[in-house]
Amino acid sequence: MLTRTGMDRPGTGPKSQPRWPSLLRRVGHSGIVDRVVMFGCAGSGKTTLARKLCARTGLTLVERDSLGVLGSESYCAAITKLICQPRWVLDGAPYYVEDLVYPVADTVVVLDYPKPVVMWRVLRRTLAVEVLRQRVGAHQPQGLAAWRDGEHPVRWAWSSYRDRHVEGLALMSRGDLAHAEIIRFRRPAAARRWLRQLLLEDHHVVGL
């Protein structure tokens, strides 16, 4: 379930909804990084990394929080439309439609940073949102009183960290991801190196 602040509820994630086998058969794979799912705790930087990847590779960014309430009819319709596209990055776990998204994803990026790193990132972003009074993704200015709310970005990142960590590790053994490359980053620097290497390899292909 998605809360009003656009963050995942704690736990291992909701179960997937029915499969769409005929739709999946119409979607092919290129064998390279074309269909990417970003996974990680709230505040880990999924959307930021997704934006950088899209800006440098031409992939289409799809912000999950903009698709409506998780599991809703509009959300499922948007995901169905998404997987028919050849190249995209989804900046969050595909809850309720895992059986639809994971079989066509060729890359899953797991941001499994240490808790202090995540907390520093979400705190820095929240302070910037409050000071500048500008919305950043699903996060918008809420005032000091909102910090008492358990669903506040900073408090939510703290309380949901362990669940997302466990869920991220479980992705490694999922049968519906056996075909995909699952990349787990423990440090932001490693994610940045991967992005640079990905671009370098892409340039080599073009040079051929």
Side-chain angles (χ1 to χ4, degrees), residues 34-56:
D34 273 342
R35 303 183 187 94
V36 185
V37 174
M38 295 284 177
F39 181 92
C41 177
S44 60
K46 302 182 295 295
T47 301
T48 298
L49 182 60
R51 285 174 178 164
K52 291 179 179 179
L53 178 61
C54 291
R56 300 181 187 183

Side-chain angles (χ1 to χ4, degrees), residues 182-201:
I182 303 177
I183 308 169
R184 177 175 173 244
F185 295 121
R186 290 290 290 157
R187 298 286 178 180
R192 292 192 293 269
R193 285 195 299 270
W194 170 75
L195 185 58
R196 289 195 298 269
Q197 183 62 35
L198 181 66
L199 296 175
L200 180 61
E201 293 174 354

Side-chain angles (χ1 to χ4, degrees), residues 27-184:
V27 181
H29 290 275
S30 68
I32 59 176
V33 178
D34 273 342
R35 303 183 187 94
V36 185
V37 174
M38 295 284 177
F39 181 92
C41 177
S44 60
K46 302 182 295 295
T47 301
T48 298
L49 182 60
R51 285 174 178 164
K52 291 179 179 179
L53 178 61
C54 291
R56 300 181 187 183
T57 62
L59 294 172
T60 299
L61 172 62
V62 178
E63 296 189 29
R64 191 194 63 184
D65 290 340
S66 70
L67 303 182
V69 177
L70 294 181
S72 66
E73 184 176 348
S74 60
Y75 169 79
C76 294
I79 291 293
T80 300
K81 181 178 179 181
L82 165 67
I83 70 159
C84 290
Q85 305 305 311
R87 309 182 72 233
W88 44 262
V89 178
L90 180 64
D91 72 344
Y95 293 139
Y96 291 98
V97 287
E98 293 180 350
D99 288 351
L100 180 61
V101 175
Y102 281 144
V104 300
D106 54 53
T107 308
V108 177
V109 177
V110 179
L111 302 184
D112 190 17
Y113 302 148
K115 193 170 187 177
V117 173
V118 172
M119 294 311 302
W120 164 245
R121 285 186 154 206
V122 71
L123 179 61
R124 181 180 58 187
R125 181 182 62 192
T126 299
L127 291 176
V129 168
E130 294 295 342
V131 171
L132 299 177
R133 308 304 294 175
Q134 293 181 350
R135 182 185 180 112
V136 176
H139 304 278
Q140 55 188 332
Q142 302 179 61
L144 293 177
W147 287 65
R148 295 194 296 268
D149 189 338
E151 294 177 356
H152 185 277
V154 175
R155 297 187 65 180
W156 184 254
W158 179 271
S159 63
S160 65
Y161 176 84
R162 178 173 175 76
D163 288 329
R164 296 292 85 79
H165 168 70
V166 171
E167 190 178 346
L169 293 179
L171 287 174
M172 307 291 182
S173 59
R174 286 187 65 125
D176 53 354
L177 281 172
H179 65 285
E181 180 177 9
I182 303 177
I183 308 169
R184 177 175 173 244

